[in-house]
Amino acid sequence: MDVIKQVRTRYAPSPTGFMHVGNLRTALYEYLIAKSQGGAFVLRIEDTDRERYVEGAVDVIYDTLKLAGISHDEGPDVGGDFGPYVQSERKDMYLPYAEQLIKEGKAYRCFCTKERLEELAQTSEFGGYDRHCRDLSEEEIAQKLKDGEPYVIRQKMPLEGKTTFTDAVFGEITVDNSELQDQILIKTDGYPTYNFANVIDDHTMGITHVVRGSEYLSSTPKYNLLYDAFGWEIPTYVHLPLIMGKNEDGSVSKLSKRHGSTGFEDLIKDGYLPEAIINYIALLGWCPKDNKEIFTMKELEESFFIEGISKSPAVFDYDKLLWMNAEYIKAMSDEEFTERATPYYREALGDLEIDYSKLTAILKQRTEKFTDIPDKIRFFAELPEYDKELFVNKKSKTNLENSPALLQEAYDRLRALDDWSYDSLHDCLINMAVEKELKNGTVLWGVRIAAAGQKVTPGGAFEILELLGREEALKRIEKGLEKLK
Ligand code: GLU
């Protein structure tokens, strides 16, 4: 009977200080593949490339995963049975594996100097290492070791035949072995290359599904030859499609800064909600069985399946993300909206006393991003400079001739009110329209312009008057009257 192995996936970021949406999607899909099958999701930090190392970058990874709601079952901070989970702490475990391959004739020491390799790179027709050291005699090797000559360890690739593997997304892939270079496994300093370390790590951590960007597809045959050399089971490969951006001329090219923000943190700064970003990214290359679009993380965990991943490039559509963001905002309770909008309310209004829940009432259905809020409500704190032409509106039948009298009458009626509540303001101005046989808009247009000093406002005249409060509202209408004189 086959023992069904627990699914184990890993996210293996290099700490570069930046979480590209492509990396985030990889993390998310690894997480979802594990969770949808009751498996474990592992975080491994690949920090061996010291030149790329950025201070504080590991924290960026933790913070991003946390904010995104992607929680790892094992990792440097939470531990687990397969540690250490930071590659630099594993550095001593790779050399013995490479030495084992040397013993078995599947790898060899290469003593070629940097100068020779550089020259080779200029002249070689083979387009890479010419396997100069592949067949050194035992004596030659012994002598060079005795002389302390530095060396790397290279994998001995088969010179003929083909290597085939099946990717869960891209299907069957075959390469001629003659195209494969004798790649370096261990560098002169004794440390592994990424190409070697990822195989050793994935195997020793019991990883069953390797999920990564499709740029790794062409290296996979080399990895598989290593698995074969050790007699290890090859994991299931899930290569993810490219992420493209839409160009102005309608064409697409690899997603980059000129298309918009490409980092998770930057998207957050742009005002997208983490849960909307995650939801959007889940669909960037994966298609659910029904046409459902809005998913909570829990729902994603339940419905994700590998066969739904597409190999055709996914196009990052900022308009779609914005739509999704607005859907998330509309679905919030008023309390949650107020809580999350409060920093933006404060930004625009300072310590102005205003009922935030009433602001929420006029903003929630109209807000696509929280970052849009300050500009929309700044007029509550300060009446903008505006032109009296704003009183002219064809649809409401207002012009510079009728506006002064209309606004004066509205002002007189409002001033006489004891009760400055929404209902009272409403009845007051609607009664005026009824009594004077005018369209509501004819009365309300000028009042709203005077109160807000701008044409487009969240909420109508009653809401704005109520939020401004009696004193400020009347003062602004007086100003409007002044302007119209
Ligand atoms: N450290 C590699 C990267 O960040 C990991 C690639 C992989 O094996 O998934 O690109």
Side-chain angles (χ1 to χ4, degrees):
M1 203 181 76
D2 274 353
V3 185
I4 299 180
K5 270 209 282 181
Q6 190 205 24
V7 168
R8 289 175 60 81
T9 62
R10 90 295 191 274
Y11 176 49
S14 306
T16 60
F18 178 74
M19 183 75 87
H20 188 273
V21 292
N23 291 334
L24 186 61
R25 184 188 59 176
T26 302
L28 177 64
Y29 284 20
E30 311 234 21
Y31 172 79
L32 294 175
I33 287 171
K35 293 296 135 184
S36 60
Q37 302 179 68
F41 171 63
V42 178
L43 174 65
R44 179 173 78 225
I45 303 290
E46 303 207 323
D47 63 343
T48 38
D49 190 349
R50 285 283 151 191
E51 276 162 40
R52 280 174 72 198
Y53 187 77
V54 179
E55 195 63 39
V58 177
D59 290 330
V60 173
I61 296 169
Y62 292 140
D63 294 347
T64 305
L65 292 179
K66 191 151 178 231
L67 198 56
I70 302 173
S71 58
H72 45 286
D73 302 299
E74 297 169 29
D77 51 344
V78 293
D81 295 338
F82 295 80
Y85 293 91
V86 178
Q87 218 168 41
S88 57
E89 292 168 21
R90 301 169 70 82
K91 60 183 192 288
D92 296 328
M93 51 178 281
Y94 306 103
L95 189 58
Y97 283 107
E99 281 169 345
Q100 179 192 332
L101 292 182
I102 295 181
K103 256 191 230 124
E104 294 170 1
K106 296 165 181 168
Y108 60 92
R109 292 186 180 83
C110 165
F111 298 91
C112 288
T113 59
K114 221 164 133 192
E115 291 71 34
R116 176 169 193 278
L117 294 175
E118 271 163 17
E119 205 186 301
L120 198 62
Q122 305 291 328
T123 56
S124 158
E125 280 169 29
F126 180 69
Y129 182 59
D130 61 358
R131 299 181 164 137
H132 180 77
C133 295
R134 184 163 160 142
D135 298 309
L136 293 181
S137 68
E138 291 295 329
E139 295 73 43
E140 282 172 299
I141 297 170
Q143 186 58 48
K144 285 176 187 292
L145 287 177
K146 211 171 124 212
D147 296 344
E149 280 189 37
Y151 63 86
V152 300
I153 300 178
R154 290 183 185 270
Q155 184 180 358
K156 218 183 238 183
M157 293 296 178
L159 300 176
E160 47 202 36
K162 293 176 191 299
T163 298
T164 297
F165 74 100
T166 305
D167 181 79
V169 175
F170 285 80
E172 197 174 279
I173 305 224
T174 300
V175 294
D176 284 326
N177 290 335
S178 60
E179 284 168 22
L180 302 176
Q181 304 251 350
D182 284 358
Q183 64 172 343
I184 298 178
L185 305 178
I186 299 284
K187 298 179 272 189
T188 39
D189 59 9
Y191 291 140
T193 55
Y194 164 76
N195 284 339
F196 190 49
N198 90 85
V199 170
I200 306 297
D201 288 340
D202 285 340
H203 173 74
T204 54
M205 290 183 162
I207 300 303
T208 59
H209 292 65
V210 171
V211 185
R212 48 162 80 111
S214 53
E215 66 271 21
Y216 286 96
L217 261 181
S218 61
S219 303
T220 304
K222 297 192 258 185
Y223 305 152
N224 289 343
L225 286 166
L226 282 172
Y227 281 98
D228 286 343
F230 286 113
W232 294 339
E233 192 181 334
I234 291 174
T236 299
Y237 288 105
V238 183
H239 284 91
L240 305 181
L242 286 173
I243 300 179
M244 315 296 277
K246 255 192 260 176
N247 300 322
E248 268 168 28
D249 64 2
S251 62
V252 295
S253 54
K254 202 166 169 219
L255 184 70
S256 71
K257 286 248 163 73
R258 73 196 159 95
H259 297 114
S261 294
T262 58
F264 183 64
E265 255 180 284
D266 294 328
L267 287 169
I268 302 265
K269 271 194 210 123
D270 289 348
Y272 298 103
L273 303 167
E275 54 271 47
I277 301 173
I278 285 297
N279 189 156
Y280 181 68
I281 282 181
L283 300 175
L284 203 57
W286 173 74
C287 189
K289 287 199 178 110
D290 42 23
N291 282 332
K292 194 170 144 89
E293 289 190 295
I294 304 292
F295 285 89
T296 61
M297 188 62 105
K298 186 108 209 340
E299 289 168 332
L300 286 171
E301 288 171 23
E302 281 156 10
S303 22
F304 200 83
F305 61 109
I306 294 175
E307 295 74 20
I309 302 173
S310 159
K311 64 178 172 187
S312 30
V315 181
F316 197 102
D317 180 347
Y318 290 88
D319 294 335
K320 184 80 195 252
L321 173 61
L322 186 61
W323 167 82
M324 200 169 264
N325 205 60
E327 291 300 303
Y328 270 84
I329 290 177
K330 276 186 229 156
M332 279 179 193
S333 68
D334 289 356
E335 291 70 36
E336 189 183 354
F337 183 97
T338 304
E339 196 186 308
R340 292 171 85 152
T342 291
Y344 302 95
Y345 290 165
R346 288 238 168 80
E347 182 190 325
L349 308 177
D351 44 22
L352 183 76
E353 269 187 45
I354 196 163
D355 186 339
Y356 282 0
S357 67
K358 288 191 172 140
L359 273 180
T360 293
I362 57 171
L363 284 166
K364 201 173 94 176
Q365 294 304 318
R366 298 179 178 86
T367 301
E368 292 180 306
K369 293 195 286 183
F370 283 108
T371 42
D372 294 340
I373 290 178
D375 284 345
K376 284 190 181 163
I377 61 170
R378 229 179 285 281
F379 73 87
F380 283 110
E382 195 180 357
L383 182 69
E385 278 304 323
Y386 67 101
D387 194 278
K388 70 173 175 191
E389 286 300 320
L390 286 193
F391 285 103
V392 181
N393 184 262
K394 218 163 151 200
K395 214 175 130 222
S396 304
K397 298 196 162 60
T398 60
N399 48 50
L400 291 179
E401 288 69 54
N402 66 5
S403 287
L406 283 167
L407 192 59
Q408 184 66 52
E409 166 119 24
Y411 175 78
D412 293 339
R413 288 179 181 241
L414 289 169
R415 222 167 67 120
L417 281 181
D418 298 323
D419 174 7
W420 200 261
S421 68
Y422 177 94
D423 288 342
S424 159
L425 291 160
H426 175 272
D427 293 349
C428 167
L429 295 176
I430 297 300
N431 286 344
M432 170 175 159
V434 173
E435 284 165 29
K436 313 217 88 170
E437 295 182 6
L438 295 167
K439 282 173 68 166
N440 291 347
T442 311
V443 173
L444 300 178
W445 182 270
V447 174
R448 194 175 56 88
I449 292 298
Q454 62 193 41
K455 215 149 118 186
V456 181
T457 57
F462 314 127
E463 284 101 339
I464 294 171
L465 291 176
E466 188 195 11
L467 275 163
L468 284 173
R470 179 191 179 92
E471 195 185 333
E472 175 68 15
L474 290 176
K475 219 161 72 191
R476 289 185 179 197
I477 298 177
E478 284 161 24
K479 265 204 189 135
L481 288 166
E482 198 63 33
K483 221 181 247 290
L484 282 167
K485 257 192 200 145

